[in-house]
Amino acid sequence: MTFPEFTAEQAQVVARAVHAIQEHAPECEAAQDVTPGAALALSQSGYTRLTVPTDAGGLGASLGVFARAQARVGRADASLALILAMHGHVTGAAFQGGSLPPHLLDAVAGAGVRGELLNALASEPELGSPSRGGLPRTVATPDGSGFESGLWFVTGRKTWSTGARALRWALVSAATPDGRVGRYWVDLRGEGVRVEPTWQGALALRGSGSHDVVFDRAPAALQAPPAASHPASSAWFWTAVAATYLGVGEAALDALRRYAHERVPTALGAPIATLPRVQETVGRVGAQLLAARTLLAHATATWDAQPEAGAVPLIGAAKAVCTNAAVDATDLAMRAAGGGALTAALPLGKLLRDARAGLTHPPGEDAAFTAYGAALLDAPNRA
């Protein structure tokens, strides 16, 4: 099982995104933030159009195509790839799930076509990940009455705001006056918005600029009233994460294979690629990554064939398998490379740190395998 092939135009924007990431990732890592040049390059790559439907001016990527693309950009750099992952999953899920009102869907599509990066901001200091439930402290106040109001004002703080300085728009989750949760379309370059630089010194994803965003009566003219979550939201988000970190693991394998051919110890008189121990490690890592990639391809193909709630647990399991495979790949690559892995000459230290971040994204391993196990038990013949 493999991912679907790109169309010619999809392949072009993915290639441009990879080039932009490779060019700007080192400066973002050094700055521990998204630099203006990186933000501009990501926007100009055209990748923001990838998951916008074709009838809305986009490239109409399916979930499987999106997974293939995210693995490719994740291989280039996790930090900047995650910025694209957030934009892509929000857009893809919004259109496939029909979870936003028409006027807000138009705004999301327009942002993608124009190359304006967006993200959904939901996590908070006290709330943690919204996947665990709870009412956000961020609040939305109407200037009129109810959701017929022409304007809302958002006040609060959001954490883990991937790509904060590179974003133009955010769908902000906020509590309504009646104690429910709505989503509000906020211009992050508008009034009442500031980015608080809280991401410096992060263990991983240093170039992602995942700072806090603080709202002080930030105006939102468009909003999505409280509504039940659609399974497309989980399917697209979990796929975005799984594929990105799969790419990190594949980058570690690439680095190890290159180093194994280049490293020729005097005592050995041949590349370390000739050592059985190194061959075993490369084989083990390669097999784990291929198994993870095949599972993700199968899971996304299942969704694309029949996008419904029953397909979601398998995607959650694939996310857990892919992120664990990335962690194992980077760890084993470090061990095989020896002392050279500790130097800046090899990217393995950075890849190891970035891969660990994949474990923090929902669903957690316990929740992912429990949900998939329950689905198997409910339908024993289901593969």
Side-chain angles (χ1 to χ4, degrees):
M1 174 67 71
T2 59
F3 296 119
E5 294 294 330
F6 295 134
T7 66
E9 196 169 6
Q10 289 168 351
Q12 289 172 0
V13 301
V14 172
R16 287 199 296 267
V18 168
H19 177 75
I21 289 171
Q22 290 172 334
E23 181 179 1
H24 293 278
E27 70 188 38
C28 293
E29 183 77 4
Q32 299 191 51
D33 207 343
V34 186
T35 63
L40 180 62
L42 292 179
S43 296
Q44 291 180 340
S45 72
Y47 196 95
T48 56
R49 296 177 57 216
L50 186 66
T51 58
V52 176
T54 54
D55 60 6
L59 303 182
S62 65
L63 190 63
V65 168
F66 179 51
R68 184 187 189 101
Q70 277 303 134
R72 188 76 59 85
V73 295
R75 208 165 183 161
D77 176 69
S79 292
L80 298 184
L82 275 177
I83 297 172
L84 298 178
M86 297 303 108
H87 182 105
H89 95 79
V90 171
T91 303
F95 277 96
Q96 189 166 46
S99 56
L100 300 177
H103 56 282
L104 194 43
L105 279 177
D106 289 344
V108 169
V113 171
R114 294 188 300 270
E116 297 169 352
L117 290 160
L118 61 88
N119 197 354
L121 304 186
S123 297
E124 298 186 358
E126 295 87 358
L127 181 67
S129 170
S131 67
R132 298 290 184 177
L135 191 68
R137 291 285 183 89
T138 301
V139 297
T141 306
D143 69 345
S145 60
F147 273 88
E148 293 73 25
S149 169
L151 187 65
W152 288 70
F153 296 98
V154 177
T155 300
R157 175 187 292 266
K158 295 298 182 180
T159 57
W160 299 88
S161 304
T162 304
R165 296 191 198 278
L167 303 177
R168 175 62 190 273
W169 304 99
L171 271 172
V172 183
S173 298
T176 62
D178 60 359
R180 297 185 293 165
V181 180
R183 287 178 292 171
Y184 300 84
W185 184 248
V186 178
D187 183 349
L188 296 186
R189 299 178 190 173
E191 298 178 1
V193 181
R194 76 175 191 274
V195 175
E196 201 165 287
T198 54
W199 198 246
Q200 280 81 10
L203 175 65
L205 306 175
R206 292 174 178 172
S208 70
S210 300
H211 305 298
D212 288 9
V213 178
V214 180
F215 302 94
D216 183 9
R217 287 184 59 80
L222 302 176
Q223 69 284 324
S229 177
H230 190 280
S233 179
S234 294
W236 283 81
F237 178 69
W238 297 351
T239 295
V241 171
T244 301
Y245 289 100
L246 174 65
V248 174
E250 291 174 339
L253 178 59
D254 292 341
L256 177 58
R257 291 170 65 190
R258 287 194 301 270
Y259 183 68
H261 286 290
E262 294 168 357
R263 172 65 172 155
V264 183
T266 303
L268 182 62
I272 63 171
T274 61
L275 295 174
R277 180 181 65 83
V278 173
Q279 293 168 352
E280 178 193 357
T281 298
V282 170
R284 188 182 300 275
V285 170
Q288 287 181 337
L289 291 171
L290 178 59
R293 188 179 185 89
T294 302
L295 176 58
L296 183 59
H298 173 64
T300 54
T302 300
W303 171 269
D304 285 334
Q306 196 166 357
E308 61 181 17
V312 172
L314 181 58
I315 298 175
K319 181 270 175 184
V321 169
C322 285
T323 51
N324 277 316
V327 170
D328 288 346
T330 54
D331 179 60
L332 289 171
M334 289 278 291
R335 292 169 186 258
L342 303 179
T343 71
L346 290 177
L348 294 175
K350 176 182 182 300
L351 293 171
L352 177 73
R353 291 186 287 103
D354 286 347
R356 297 290 302 184
L359 303 177
T360 67
H361 297 281
E365 188 174 339
D366 56 342
F369 288 130
T370 298
Y372 185 52
L376 291 176
L377 290 168
D378 287 343
N381 294 326
R382 185 172 184 171

